[in-house]
Amino acid sequence: MSLAIETKNLSKSFGEVHAVRKINLKVREGEIYGFLGLNGAGKTTTIRALLGMIRPSAGSVRVLGKSISSDKRGPWKDIGHSVEKPAAYPELTVKENLEVARRLQGIGDKNAVNRVIAQLQILPYENRKAGHLSTGNFQRLALARALLHNPKLLILDEPASGLDPAGVVEIRELLKRLVKENGLTVFMSSHILTEVSRLATRIGIIHEGRLIEELDAKKLEEMRSQRLEVKTKKSILAKKTLLKAGYSVSRDNEILILKDKRAIQHSENIATILVNAEAPPSQLSIKQENLEDYFLRLTGAKP
């Protein structure tokens, strides 16, 4: 499959600060790639390198089959982007801002502005000055501008920033539709794992400038740790019994926690052991680590 984005040992330093360290990205055409990391992890620096906004300290970048360098030559007519804090002319209306962008980009389709206004569902705000928009609608304006020229690749930095829950869902469904109907490739950064997992087909996790994990989104469920929680009135006796039976057990107040695969897969055996030891369980339940805890554990940010 063709690659929309490929980096080899991409690195960027600012003096003594190593913002990005030997990043190797491979983003396939037609997928939604979620670039996930805590604030300051190196997401925006990587995106700026993809767009030729900064020169890498080392390594190479190819986007849509072309090398990206500081000479500003590249496949820009096929790339739409919204990076860092979106900007607009505050005294111009939404429609006027988009019309200015259309002309500056040399887009001949005069219906492009009306098309993206409809796509982003900002028709009620088309005559409102940009300076009077809410944060969420300002974000929609930025995305509309990025889609004006029907790009093949869309690069977004925190696209859900400032959107209310309904707006997040709208943007999510719009991007899914564009990928499905137009073959668009989306590369989006975020620090919100839950939202990325609902949208991305593949996820790369960056931490302290390094790409520490890359996986298909559907594998997230398999990667999150599971545990068996056992409640019993005789928790001390129950723990001793299970330890004697060869299980690894920890105790959180009156709840026993077992992380052994055999305990999780055959919880009925745990129940039998405890009943025979006269410490019958009142409840057995399998719990799975939530997405945020998984992310924090992976990055070492969780105490």
Side-chain angles (χ1 to χ4, degrees):
M1 181 177 289
S2 299
L3 295 177
I5 296 173
E6 182 179 18
T7 69
K8 293 182 179 179
N9 293 322
L10 173 64
S11 302
K12 179 63 180 178
S13 297
F14 299 96
E16 297 298 316
V17 178
H18 301 291
V20 173
R21 305 166 186 247
K22 295 184 178 180
I23 294 288
N24 292 298
L25 288 172
K26 289 188 177 180
V27 179
R28 309 178 194 115
E29 289 185 354
E31 75 175 353
I32 302 177
Y33 189 102
F35 195 45
L36 190 71
L38 299 171
N39 291 329
K43 303 188 300 296
T44 299
T45 299
T46 301
I47 286 178
R48 293 177 69 197
L50 296 180
L51 293 170
M53 294 177 175
I54 58 173
R55 180 184 301 191
S57 302
S60 63
V61 179
R62 289 182 67 84
V63 177
L64 297 178
K66 295 184 179 180
S67 294
I68 303 302
S69 61
S70 58
D71 61 11
K72 302 302 179 183
R73 289 182 295 179
W76 311 126
K77 65 182 179 63
D78 293 321
I79 300 174
H81 65 84
S82 178
V83 182
E84 298 175 297
K85 187 176 180 180
Y89 297 104
E91 293 305 312
L92 296 184
T93 66
V94 166
K95 191 167 187 176
E96 289 168 342
N97 266 282
L98 292 171
E99 181 61 27
V100 168
R102 182 187 73 81
R103 294 184 183 186
L104 288 174
Q105 293 180 50
I107 300 170
D109 180 10
K110 294 184 178 180
N111 190 50
V113 170
N114 291 330
R115 172 178 53 80
V116 295
I117 284 176
Q119 280 182 330
L120 273 296
Q121 299 181 9
I122 50 178
L123 185 61
Y125 312 102
E126 67 174 351
N127 294 317
R128 184 174 298 181
K129 290 183 178 181
H132 297 164
L133 291 174
S134 66
T135 303
N137 283 327
F138 202 87
Q139 193 75 4
R140 286 187 180 89
L141 171 58
L143 185 53
R145 190 168 52 215
L147 290 169
L148 267 174
H149 57 300
N150 275 323
K152 294 179 182 177
L153 170 65
L154 189 60
I155 297 179
L156 304 173
D157 194 9
E158 300 280 0
S161 177
L163 294 175
D164 58 24
V168 170
V169 173
E170 287 174 13
I171 298 302
R172 182 200 311 156
E173 295 307 312
L174 169 66
L175 293 176
K176 284 183 177 179
R177 189 170 71 250
L178 289 171
V179 169
K180 183 178 180 180
E181 296 177 359
N182 300 357
L184 181 70
T185 303
V186 177
F187 181 90
M188 55 174 285
S189 77
S190 180
H191 65 281
I192 306 172
L193 178 54
T194 305
E195 183 52 37
V196 169
S197 70
R198 291 172 179 165
L199 178 60
T201 50
R202 208 149 57 94
I203 293 171
I205 299 177
I206 184 173
H207 184 61
E208 295 181 348
R210 299 184 186 277
L211 189 66
I212 61 172
E213 185 82 87
E214 195 174 49
L215 69 163
D216 291 337
K218 62 184 178 182
K219 289 186 178 179
L220 268 179
E221 293 299 313
E222 301 171 17
M223 300 291 288
R224 290 155 57 200
S225 66
Q226 292 183 320
R227 65 187 183 276
L228 176 66
E229 293 188 357
V230 181
K231 289 184 179 180
T232 173
K233 292 181 179 179
K234 298 180 178 180
S235 59
I236 296 176
L237 173 60
K239 182 178 179 180
K240 289 181 179 178
T241 302
L242 292 172
L243 287 171
K244 189 175 181 179
Y247 292 94
S248 176
V249 187
S250 60
R251 186 179 170 202
D252 184 3
N253 294 322
E254 297 305 308
I255 298 176
L256 302 181
I257 300 172
L258 296 87
K259 295 184 178 181
D260 308 56
K261 277 190 176 181
R262 61 193 179 115
I264 294 168
Q265 294 173 354
H266 300 286
S267 58
E268 69 279 4
N269 292 342
I270 301 298
T272 300
I273 291 171
L274 294 180
V275 168
N276 291 338
E278 297 185 351
S282 58
Q283 182 179 329
L284 288 94
S285 57
I286 296 174
K287 299 291 180 66
Q288 188 169 36
E289 180 181 39
N290 67 43
L291 288 168
E292 283 71 20
D293 284 346
Y294 167 77
F295 174 55
L296 294 174
R297 175 169 60 84
L298 189 65
T299 59
K302 186 176 182 180

